């Protein structure tokens, strides 16, 4: 069974090459504009306290991926993050 790697904010900042990210985003947006990528509208399950959003996408040559994000706006008052995602 594969494991899930949890990366902290500091690790992301240290490891992310913003220049490479900009190039990859440009390529993905060009593919989307040309109709080669599939990025359906976001779907969210809502609760009184927050939501769980699902964001799937496919870019040829890159792959198929999904992002799940929970958003609970009141969490910071309890010392918790408002957003958590995988």
């Amino acid at each position: 069974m594969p494991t899930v790697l949890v990366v902290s904010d500091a690790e992301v900042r240290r490891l992310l090459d913003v220049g490479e990210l900009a190039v990859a985003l440009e390529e993905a947006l060009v593919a989307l504009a040309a109709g080669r990528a599939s990025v359906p509208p976001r779907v969210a399950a809502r609760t009184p306290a927050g939501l769980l959003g699902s964001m799937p996408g496919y870019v040829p040559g890159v792959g198929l991926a999904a992002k799940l994000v929970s958003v609970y706006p009141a969490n910071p008052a309890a010392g918790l993050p408002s957003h958590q995602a995988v």
Side-chain angles (χ1 to χ4, degrees), residues 1 7 17 21-22 25 29 35 38 41 48-50 53 57 59 64 66-67 69 85:
M1 195 59 135
V7 182
D17 182 316
L21 175 61
L25 286 172
L29 289 171
S38 175
V59 177
L64 180 65
K67 176 181 178 181
V69 61

Side-chain angles (χ1 to χ4, degrees), residues 24-76:
L25 286 172
E26 179 181 6
E27 292 171 359
L29 289 171
V30 167
L32 180 61
R36 295 189 310 269
S38 175
V39 183
R42 295 176 181 176
V43 175
R46 299 181 186 279
T47 74
L51 64 86
L52 173 66
S54 171
M55 294 163 262
Y58 169 73
V59 177
V62 177
L64 180 65
K67 176 181 178 181
L68 294 175
V69 61
S70 64
V71 181
Y72 288 88
N75 274 7

